[in-house]
Structures are given as C-alpha cells and as structure tokens.
Amino acid sequence: MQFMLLFSRQGKLRLQKWYVSLSEREKKKITREIVQTILARKPKMCSFLEWRDLKIVYKRYASLYFCCAIEDQENELITLEIIHRYVELLDKYFGSVCELDIIFNFEKAYFILDEFLLGGEVQETSKKNVLKAIEQADLLQEEAETPRSVLEEIGLT
Amino acid sequence: MALKMVKGSIDRMFDKNLQDLVRGIRNHKEDEAKYISQCIDEIKQELKQDNIAVKANAVCKLTYLQMLGYDISWAAFNIIEVMSASKFTFKRIGYLAASQCFHEGTDVIMLTTNQIRKDLSSPSQYDTGVALTGLSCFVTPDLARDLANDIMTLMSHTKPYIRKKAVLIMYKVFLKYPESLRPAFPRLKEKLEDPDPGVQSAAVNVICELARRNPKNYLSLAPLFFKLMTSSTNNWVLIKIIKLFGALTPLEPRLGKKLIEPLTNLIHSTSAMSLLYECVNTVIAVLISLSSGMPNHSASIQLCVQKLRILIEDSDQNLKYLGLLAMSKILRTHPKSVQAHKDLVLQCLDDKDESIRLRALDLLYGMVSKKNLVEIVKKLMSHVDKAEGTTYRDELLTKIIDICSQCNYQHITNFQWYISVLVELTRLEGTRHGHLIAAQMLDVAIRVKAIRKFAVSQMSALLDRAHLVASSTQRNGICEVLYAAAWICGEFSEHLQEPQQTLEAMLRPKVTTLPGHIQAVYVQNVVKLYAAILQQREQAAEPEAAQDVTQLMVERLPQFVQSADLEVQERASCVLQLVKHIQKLQAKDVPVAEEVSALFAGELNPVAPKAQKKVPVPEGLDLDAWINEPPSDSESEDEKPKAIFHEEEQRHVKQRQPEADEEELARRREARKQEQANNPFYIKSSPSPQKRYQDLPGVEHIPVVQIDLSVPLKVPGMPVSDQYVKLEEERRHRQRLEKDRKKKKKKDKEKKGKPRRHGSLHTESDEDIAPAQQVDIVTEEMPENALPSDEDDKDPNDPYRALDIDLDRPLADSEKLPIQKHRNADTCKSPEKEDVPVTEKKIKKLKKKEKKHKEKEREKKKGKEEEKVKPSKHKKKKHKKEKEERSKDKKKPKKKKPASDGAAEPVENGALDEDPLPPMSSYCLLAENAYVKMTYDIQGSLQKDSQVTVSVVLENQSSSFLKNMELSVLDSLNTKLARPEGSSVHDGVPVPFQLPPGVSNEAQFVFTVRSIVTAQKLKGTLSFIAKNDEGSTHEKLDFQLHFSCTSYLVTTPCYSDAFAKLLESGDLSMSSVKVDGISMSFQNLLAKICFHHHFSVVERVDSCASMYSRSIQGHHVCLLVKKGEKSVSVDGKCSDAALLGSLLEEMKATLAQC
C-alpha cells in the first residue's frame, strides 16, 4: 500500500498516512486530486478506480471516506477488508466511532493504524491483539502521567 | 528545579491543548487562516520553553496543523527533541510527528540515528515498537545502512510484538539499502517458520513483496511456500503466497502444474471473495505460463471463467468490476473461452457505473473477430450518441479506433466501411481525439492502397463540409481531421473526381480561421491539387481553363500570406511566387504542368515509429563527442558568438530571394535524390522485406475487385456506415455461395467414393471471410540493418532493480552489515592502499564512507573487466554470463583470484617482464557421459563455520531435453549433504532447473563438514530423465566429489602487521615442501596459488612472498613461498598440523604441474 487517506464528505482531510517518501507539495497535489475524483463519483459506483499507475480503493462509512492507494498487482478486495478492519478497530476503541472522535483524537487514530499496518503491510490480523497493544501502550502513558500530576499538586499546594 | 517544573505546569494550564485547537479552528470558520497563524505563533513560544510536556503538546498540535496542509518543517528539530523524551507519552507524539512530516530531504534526519538506535534497544517493547513504526515512514538510505544491523538483531527479539515489526520494516530497509538483503536474508527466511503466526505472516509479507519484484531469485523457496500454502488457514497469508506463486510460475512451469490442483480446490472451497479472486488470478497466470494446451487445463479455464461470470453477474459493483478485470487477463491467452460470454460483456456496456463500462470496453477489444467487428462497432457507435459525459465518449472513440486498428487492421474486411465509420466519428463535437481520427485516416489511406480512391472521395466531401466541422468552438479538437483530409486529397489527387471543386473548397476564406498547422497543410496541398489540375487541363488542351486555375490561386493565396502563423506565411508566400511565375510562363503559352507536377513526384512510404532509433550508429562515430569544443563560460567570450549569429541571420535573409524557379527546384530535387541514393543512412523506399502479405503480388498488379455498389461511391452529404454494413453482408453472402459452389465442384471432381466429412453444415469461421478489397497493408519501413532490440521500454530507474540479488549463493565473509563501532576501538595501522574488503575498514565518518563507496565501484568495474578479459575454460555463454552477473551483484573475494593484478597487487609496479597468465578456472571435471558433463567447484564461507557450498555446472551435451534431475550423495560420517527439511538421508536433492539441449546451468548444494583437516571423497549419482523425439529414458551418472582441504580455505586478506603478530605467537605448527623443475614466473606462480588454493599475498619481496588464508573453522594458514633457480619451496605454518600437511600435499601437486 502506498498511502491511506481519510476525508470527509466536504473534502476535509481527517487523516493521512504515507508509506512512500514524497515531498509535501507532491502529497498535497495527490490528495487534492484524489479527493476530488472520489467525491465526484456517484454512490452506486464501484469502489475501485485507476489513478496514474496505482489503484485507488475507497469506501464510505457515514460521512467519512476511507481511501487507500495500492499498486497494480495488489488485491483490491483485501484492501477493502483492510479498510473495514480499521473501521472496526476504531469502532471498538472509541465505542461506535464518529467523525468527531477522529478529529479530536486524531493521534489515537494514528496509533491504532500504526499497530494495524506497518510500512503499508498488514502487521497484525487479529483485532484483539491490536487493541491489546493499544490499551497497554495507553496504560503506560497513564502510568507515566499519574506521578506527574501528583507532583503538580504538591507543587501547587 | 522543582520550582521551574511548577512554573511550567502553571503555564501549561493556560496553553491550548489539541482539543482546544481543534475546537478553536471549528469556531473560526470565517477567518481560519488568521486564527491558525495566531496558533502557530503560540506554538513557537511553547517550543521555546524547557518543559518537555509543553513541547510535546505543541508538537502534537503541529501534527494536526500539518494534516490541514500547513508547513511544519521548521519544527523538525523540536520534533527530534520530543522524540528523545524519556517518557513514552511524549516519545509517541514525537515519533508520530516525525513519521508524518519527515522525508528524505529533511536534513536533521541524520541527527536521529543514535536516538533511534537507543530506542530500538530500549527494555520497553513499546519504545522499540514506536521507534520501528516511525522509522518505517521516514527511513533513508543512511538510516537504513546505519540501523540495518540493529533491526536485524530485533528480528530475533524474545517478544513476537517486536519481531513482527522488525521483520516488516526490513522490507523498507532493503529498498533503501540493497546491500543489506543478502546478509539479512537467512534470518528472514527463518522467520517463515516462526512459532508466532503474526511474525510468520510478516515474513511471508516481506518475502512475497521482494519476490514479486525479482521472482527468479526466490525460486528455491517455492517448496517451502508450497508447504505453507497447503498448511495455512490464514487468508491474509494465503493471498500473499498465492500472489507470490503467480509471479514464480512464469519462470518455472513445473511449479504451475503442481499448483493447479490446490488452487482449484481453494476456488471450490473458499467463501472469501478476496481469496477466490486471488486464486483465479494466479490460475490465470499459471495457465498463461503453461501455454502448451494440456487437456485438463481447459477445465481450469472453464472453472475460472465460470467463477468470473458469477462475479460479473453479482449485484455488487465491486465484484462486477473485478470480474471484468480478471476476464480481460484470460482474454489475452484464451480468447475463445471469453468470447462465449459476449452477451454478458455487452450487457455491462449499459451499466450505470462508468468504470464498469470502461472495463467492459477493454474486454470488447479482444472479442472482436472479422465476423462480429461490424456489429460490435455499430453498438459502440450507438453508445457514442447516447453518452452523456465527454470523457466516456472520448474513451468510446479511442476504443472504437483501437478495436478496428488492432493487429494491423486484421479484423477489418471492408475498408470502405471503416473510412465511413471514421467520417461518421467526425460528427462528434468537443472531442479531444480529433488527431486520433486524423491519424487513422492518414494511416489507412497511405497503407491500404486499394482504398485510396474511396478515401479521397470521402475526404473531399469532408473538405467541402469543413464549415460544419470547424464551425463550433475554437478549441474544437475535431478540426484536426481536416488536416488529414487536406493531405489525403492533395497527395492522392489523381483519384479526385472533381479536383477543381476541392481546390475551391480549400481556398475558402473561412479556412483562415483554422489552426495554423492545419492551414499550413492546406497551403501545401493546394499546390499538389493545382499541379494535378494543370496537368489535366493541359492534356485536355484547354489552356484557358489552366490559366483560370492559376488566376484563382493568385487571387486566393494572399489570404494565407497575411497569416499570423509563421509556417503558413512562409509556405504561402513561397507558393504565391511560384504560381505568379507559372502565370508568366502560361501567358507565353509555355506548357508548365509537367514541371509543376515533378515537384511532387515520387511516393511517400510509411516509416516505422522507432525506425530512427534503430539506425545503428556507424563504427567510429561517437555521438557524445563534441563536434566543436564547448564554449567556455567566461563572460568575455560570451559576446562573440552572439555577434556571429546576428550576422549570419542577416545573411540568410538576404539569400532568401524567393524567385523560385521550378527547373531549379527540379534540379535540386534530382540532386537530392542522387545524394540520397548514395547515402547509406537514408531510409530508402524499397519495399521492406517484412511485408505482411508477402505472397501477394505487388500493389500495381492487384486486381481491385469490382464491387458492384448500388450506391454511387461519391456519397453526397453524410456518409452512413450502415449502408456499408448492408453491402458487406450481401457481399459475404455472395462470397459464401460462391465458395460453396466451388467446394461442391471440387468435391465432385475429387474421388467420388470418399464419404463427405464436411457435409453442408457450414459454419462461417473467421478464416472464411475474405476481405472485400485485396488489401495490401504496407508495413512500415525500418532501416535495413536495424538492431533488433526490445529494450526500448525498460526503465533504468526502477527502485526494485537494486534488489535483484542472488540469494542462494552463500554469503561471502565480506558481506556483513556495517556495525557501528566506537571511535577508539579500532586504529587501522595497515596501509589503506591495500585492497581490503569493505568491512575490514571501520566506518567512522561520512566522508570516508563515500570514499569507500567509490572504491567499491571501482572494484566492481575492475571485476567486470577481468571477467571479460579472461574467459574461463568453460566457454559456455550461460556460465560466463552467470559469472558476470555475480560479479555485478557483489564484490566477492574470488574475483580477485583469477587475475594476476588483483592477487598480487603490491608487486604490480615492480614486475615488468610478465608473461601472460593462462586462463584459470577453479571448476574441475566431476563426471561426464554422452548426456551431461558435470564440473564443480567448492567454496567455503566464514559465516557458516562448518558448511561448504558445492557449485555444480551441468552441461547438456546431447540433443535430448534433460529434466527431473536429482543429485543423491552417500553421506559420510564427516560430510553430509544438506537436504530440504523432512527428507531422509537417502533422498536426493532435486536440481532446480531443466536443461534444453546444449544449455548449461549451475546448481548449488550445501554440505556440512565436521572435521576439515583431511581431504574427503563422497560418492554420488546424478539421475535424470532424457527426453527426445523417440521418447524418454531414465539415465544415471555416477561421480565422486573430492573435498580437498583447499576447498575449506577462504581467501582472507591479512595485513602484514597482523601477519607478523600471528607468526610471533608461536602456537602454530610448521611444515614445508619443495618442488623442483619449475619454469613459470614467480608472479604467475603466486597467482596460481592464490587462485587454486584460496590464499592472498601479504607481502612480496623479490622472489619471496608471504601468503595467508583462513579455514572455515578459523584455522590460520601462513605460507612463505621462495623461488630458487628452478625450484620453489613452501614453508607453512598453521594452527592445525594435520591440516597443514594435507594442504601442502595438495599444493605440491599443483606446483608440480607448473
């Protein structure tokens, strides 16, 4: 997979993950182009389109479009499955996810994606394992945060 | 400290956190940009504080802004600061920001190397994990080189969480630093059998991705993957493996045969569409590679087509789309099976979804035949009329043209029909593809000579209606067809019914609104028409009429002379002068037609598009060499050429006095022709030998079949292709009747007693339809000695090319991942100029690295040259090529051995009186019979301390095809053949290739050895099946593998100081030999020892040299070689006395031959 984009029906980018090294300008250009193309498609159309020498696989969930760019030989259906998996993961983590969850906790959305995919390849196919890893990492974060807040309190009082 | 912290926390309370930022942006919809720039200012303030929590918060906000499209590259350094925070919370944010905005051009990225290394070895698996994840996004060649070894270590981490990440990221590392592939590959391969399914699947992922790009290097893994495929139940893994097999089968057809069964089973059993789709795709790939039609394959094709039909008929648009996509792959090799589903494809043409319609169009391309072309195009034409969007309509247009023109118009039987289709397409307004139609018109008119008359009539009608075509908007692409029309009418004006009318049409004032390049063609062809008319009139003895035409020209041409387009203006003024001159001559009653038409004598032949490229560069011509020395950059000289140019231009203007005399022109033309005839590089108009319809007589003699058309050829108004459809049908019908009649006659003439096999059951197949016109498709011309190469399309910049690395070859000792070492740990005392493998020198500074890279390059080049200069004894091309390939792949110690200069580098300068060294090869004969000749070489490697690799070159000496080759060896207690897992001691090892007659190839087998101090012999047998026209026989060839002690030695360079230390240590045993009667020069002698016995020269003084080598088990072997008058003495020291004894014996045998 070359990159993954999440954007809203209004064309606002909500998440982007690039597995190829490109300059900012190039990224912006590609994003704009793809967002426009996909938004112009009618709802009953199939989820694949050929774009430059890549294939774009996208799917709409509520108000969000999830879109992946894959290479020519890759399997479109499994890419759809990847998108679906990711949505399920977000759903499990946030508890019936909505666009606002992703906007306000965008870093979490990235962390989940990073546990699921690495370098554009599926890293962990078990949803349970991904969530476990995220939960433990979050726990680590909270542990790290708690002593500091205690210190703060001491400092403040 | 505490106070500072408290202060920081208080500050923090007033800072915006990410949520505040997001909320703020949403609340400032009107002045978002202003609000954000305000926020960025705040963030800059926050980044200046010492508190890492504040910084992390700022970086987190920046990451969000980056997504909105704001540049945050200025904060790269702050991001690194946050990455190096000790707390996981911050580290995580830092790495996230880095992975979002770092790329290869980020300069501070090199500062991260140590931080990342630290995190990779962190005791917390989440620290390591986050570093790996980040690295996967921004790894650069430098990072890859510096961290490859660390990541490789992580592949064996105790936690599967880390292992799988490390395995996956290795793929990115390989891409950026291809040298790491070979050293890391063995471990990666191990991971295929990791107990954790996640790690296993990661390894499958990586190897599949690698193999997809360079499949031939991964063929040896096929059995392992086959096992995985049949045992795994994980669909994700299965899909990857099946995809991999799809890439491997074209290289190894046997694999394909083996795959068909499990794959068809999967197709039958799986419920997962993604897996089904992948299986179908791979089966298709397999069937393509097994082009030989085995009977059971048609069943698999049927199965695939059947399943795809189900997909296409599904209501899910995605499945429909993919079904069509896969169908088009089958179409390429098995068009018949797909053509049966024409109904389905045509149905898809009416689908709501444009992408599906486009896919269906692709399929149509392969479904046409002579029989149904007309019908299909008719259907498409009706779609063109209905199509709503211009993009889809344009796509339809190109497809129609593609379909009709494919394979040299092989499906078109009636070109009148085709021309009328093209003319009908000109009605399309606003299409971008006017030039496509124009190109087709030109192509058909030029290459199908029989159609010219008809084409000209249609084109003149088109010119007549030019106002219709060109009337609409200025940017209308369709007016391009006028370009073709004008050219065709001009060039083939002899076919024009009413040239005068066409001439007038082309001189209408409206024409000046056309684009310049079209007007230019108009002007040029007006003259051609004019010449034709003059000729006609003069022959008819109507001088007045001829003068009228001239008058018309003189009147109308000035409108072009005023054109703003330079090309038009130039041509028009030139032509005008010419016509005026003719007018003068005509006034004097001089016949001019002959001379005017001479201007356009001769025929234009089509030239192949690549012809120019294929003209071989004549010997001695260096295209890169300067013709004139390039001008220097200095400013003073800058002025001169300018002035010259100016002068020259003026001169040109003066010269161009347009009194063009046609006699003069004709003379020049003649001269040019003469010159061309003598010029070997000019593409002459002689018919090219590759003519398609070679058996047909020349065009001139083709009896153009009279078509009794019920409609006059000159169709007034719009021509309609339909009428030709009807005509064509009638014609075919007539033809069929005639054929049947003939057949009957023939049969009656034939032996009457024979039973009729064909009966009257007549189905019209493609071959039965004869074209309406005797079509002579002129093939495009190529230069006579064109170079046949298909390498025009290869992309030299393919990033995956660098990963085309042979992985089966055992690792050489020099191939190690660079390991970062402490500055003081190593002081390189030995002189640098000695040619030392890369790893010996420790990496210290970037500069040095660069230098080394260059050195490596040089070494590589040298290696290649050596290979060229000194061909091995085996002159078999393949073998040589392989060697060359290897030398390209990697630097290898062996390379230094065969050449005198490499091995004895330090001496080179002194030695002048060298007699050339005979070519050497380390390969020696193993066994030979009428079928096959085996030669072998044994190589040790320092990496695996008790393994040697035996490379066996198998050469097919017979005219039979050798296959199923298998090598079996009787293991001894000491030496054992490494067999694939699961096979018993008595099983043979299959040779991974087959040998067509006369071909040789190399197979490698690994043996494990326990003790290396004495030479070993192993008996073995090569069994194979030899297949020729008479049948196949099972054959055997016995052999004896000789593992000399020498073969356990690995060439290892040694510095003289290290060498001296080794000798001083005193724990080496000593022995010596002396050989008399040697005539060879000392230089060559040393080279021979280096080459055959894997030694390297440490130092040489006159006729005395010290040499060093090392065994695979780490024994040091030191030699002192002294040359006397006619003798050589060798003193050896080695850490094992028995080994030394055996080695010296072997060396004695070699020296005795000198």
Side-chain angles (χ1 to χ4, degrees), chain B residues 689-717:
Chain B
Q690 338 135 265
K691 252 189 190 172
R692 210 175 116 83
Y693 290 86
Q694 225 170 3
D695 45 344
L696 292 179
V699 206
E700 288 80 7
H701 316 296
I702 297 176
V704 176
V705 175
Q706 276 301 317
I707 320 152
D708 49 337
L709 296 167
S710 46
V711 209
L713 268 182
K714 199 175 143 248
V715 189

Side-chain angles (χ1 to χ4, degrees), chain B residues 408-409 439-449 452 487 491-492 602-612 682-691 699 776-783:
Chain B
N408 238 343
Y409 307 101
Q440 282 291 295
M441 286 172 169
L442 286 171
D443 199 43
V444 171
I446 293 169
R447 293 173 60 194
V448 187
K449 293 191 177 175
R452 283 182 190 164
W487 191 87
E491 187 65 23
F492 307 121
E603 190 153 345
L604 295 169
N605 280 320
V607 174
K610 284 178 188 164
Q612 179 74 46
Y682 182 75
I683 303 162
K684 296 188 189 79
S685 59
S686 60
S688 129
Q690 338 135 265
K691 252 189 190 172
V699 206
D776 172 67
I777 295 184
V778 187
T779 37
E780 293 146 330
E781 291 196 343
M782 285 291 255

Side-chain angles (χ1 to χ4, degrees), chain B residues 16 37-47 61:
Chain B
K16 289 193 190 77
S37 73
Q38 201 182 322
C39 289
I40 289 181
D41 286 341
E42 282 171 23
I43 289 169
K44 280 184 179 159
Q45 287 307 313
E46 286 166 33
L47 286 175
K61 287 191 281 187

Side-chain angles (χ1 to χ4, degrees), chain B residues 814-855:
Chain B
S814 56
E815 293 181 88
K816 276 181 202 153
L817 291 176
I819 300 164
Q820 201 103 6
K821 286 206 176 157
H822 201 270
R823 213 172 238 274
N824 303 329
D826 170 78
T827 40
C828 185
K829 282 175 285 179
S830 312
E832 277 231 323
K833 67 180 174 194
E834 242 173 299
D835 210 340
V836 197
V838 179
T839 39
E840 289 289 311
K841 286 191 221 155
K842 301 302 183 292
I843 294 158
K844 281 185 203 164
K845 285 178 192 169
L846 265 168
K847 270 186 200 164
K848 242 187 190 168
K849 276 183 217 161
E850 276 167 20
K851 205 164 139 195
K852 211 174 295 163
H853 272 299
K854 274 183 209 155
E855 234 165 82

Side-chain angles (χ1 to χ4, degrees), chain B residues 596-777:
Chain B
V596 176
S597 13
L599 284 174
F600 305 106
E603 190 153 345
L604 295 169
N605 280 320
V607 174
K610 284 178 188 164
Q612 179 74 46
K613 247 204 277 180
K614 303 248 166 162
V615 178
V617 178
E619 232 172 280
L621 175 66
D622 182 7
L623 288 174
D624 294 327
W626 288 102
I627 296 172
N628 296 313
E629 279 303 305
S632 73
D633 292 334
S634 68
E635 276 178 47
S636 58
E637 277 180 317
D638 209 43
E639 309 241 314
K640 262 191 188 167
K642 229 183 207 169
I644 290 168
F645 181 63
H646 196 60
E647 270 170 23
E648 255 175 7
E649 201 176 46
Q650 279 175 336
R651 228 185 302 145
H652 276 309
V653 174
K654 267 179 219 157
Q655 274 173 355
R656 208 194 293 151
Q657 286 302 337
E659 254 330 278
D661 174 17
E662 69 264 44
E663 264 180 46
E664 168 69 11
L665 280 177
R667 200 179 53 75
R668 279 189 205 156
R669 176 181 274 271
E670 202 45 50
R672 201 178 65 229
K673 266 189 188 165
Q674 200 66 40
E675 191 192 297
Q676 282 164 0
N678 297 331
N679 185 351
F681 305 119
Y682 182 75
I683 303 162
K684 296 188 189 79
S685 59
S686 60
S688 129
Q690 338 135 265
K691 252 189 190 172
R692 210 175 116 83
Y693 290 86
Q694 225 170 3
D695 45 344
L696 292 179
V699 206
E700 288 80 7
H701 316 296
I702 297 176
V704 176
V705 175
Q706 276 301 317
I707 320 152
D708 49 337
L709 296 167
S710 46
V711 209
L713 268 182
K714 199 175 143 248
V715 189
M718 281 292 182
V720 186
S721 56
D722 283 358
Q723 66 194 61
Y724 296 99
V725 174
K726 229 177 255 166
L727 284 174
E728 174 70 6
E729 270 163 15
E730 277 168 24
R731 187 185 67 82
R732 282 189 195 176
H733 184 68
R734 271 202 312 280
Q735 206 175 45
R736 208 156 46 220
L737 288 178
E738 203 165 304
K739 217 177 214 169
D740 280 351
R741 217 170 49 228
K742 268 188 197 163
K743 244 187 210 164
K744 242 184 188 169
K745 268 189 200 165
K746 221 179 181 181
K747 262 176 202 146
D748 289 344
K749 272 184 200 167
E750 278 172 5
K751 290 168 200 167
K752 279 172 188 165
K754 236 182 178 181
R756 283 179 153 200
R757 252 188 290 165
H758 296 286
S760 55
L761 234 174
H762 186 218
T763 49
E764 191 184 34
S765 75
D766 250 18
E767 292 71 35
D768 293 338
I769 307 173
Q773 294 93 353
Q774 282 288 59
V775 174
D776 172 67
I777 295 184

Side-chain angles (χ1 to χ4, degrees), chain A:
Chain A
M1 190 186 294
Q2 304 252 328
F3 56 86
M4 187 181 209
L5 300 174
L6 252 76
F7 51 90
S8 70
R9 222 161 22 150
Q10 291 78 35
K12 278 237 172 18
L13 198 59
R14 293 301 178 212
L15 190 137
Q16 54 170 345
K17 191 85 198 174
W18 298 80
Y19 298 110
V20 283
S21 172
L22 291 170
S23 71
E24 282 309 312
R25 256 186 57 208
E26 187 73 5
K27 283 183 191 174
K28 266 187 219 165
K29 198 171 147 234
I30 292 174
T31 311
R32 205 181 319 121
E33 214 172 296
I34 287 182
V35 168
Q36 272 170 8
T37 325
I38 291 181
L39 288 178
R41 286 173 70 86
K42 299 192 184 85
K44 276 284 166 67
M45 283 183 164
C46 72
S47 305
F48 317 121
L49 54 112
E50 278 164 32
W51 178 82
R52 299 195 189 172
D53 54 347
L54 297 177
K55 293 191 287 199
I56 306 289
V57 178
Y58 73 93
K59 196 164 166 74
R60 186 177 151 182
Y61 287 88
S63 58
L64 271 186
Y65 284 90
F66 289 70
C67 151
C68 296
I70 54 173
E71 276 165 62
D72 185 40
Q73 295 136 315
E74 282 179 81
N75 189 320
E76 292 92 339
L77 290 173
I78 207 75
T79 312
L80 270 183
E81 178 68 29
I82 289 174
I83 292 179
H84 189 69
R85 264 301 146 99
Y86 182 48
V87 174
E88 279 180 338
L89 284 170
L90 290 173
D91 209 47
K92 278 253 172 65
Y93 183 82
F94 289 110
S96 84
V97 68
C98 67
E99 195 182 335
L100 282 179
D101 285 325
I102 296 174
I103 297 174
F104 282 104
N105 299 290
F106 86 110
E107 84 276 22
K108 297 278 189 222
Y110 276 121
F111 294 149
I112 296 172
L113 185 62
D114 286 341
E115 284 301 326
F116 179 43
L117 301 176
L118 193 137
E121 296 291 330
V122 177
Q123 173 187 177
E124 181 58 69
T125 54
S126 147
K127 273 180 274 184
K128 222 170 66 190
N129 285 354
V130 175
L131 288 172
K132 211 172 77 191
I134 285 291
E135 271 159 27
Q136 277 174 353
D138 281 350
L139 216 62
L140 202 67
Q141 180 166 346
E142 273 158 32
E143 272 167 19
E145 271 170 7
T146 345
R148 188 169 45 81
S149 64
V150 169
L151 237 170
E152 266 176 21
E153 272 167 33
I154 297 169
L156 280 169
T157 48

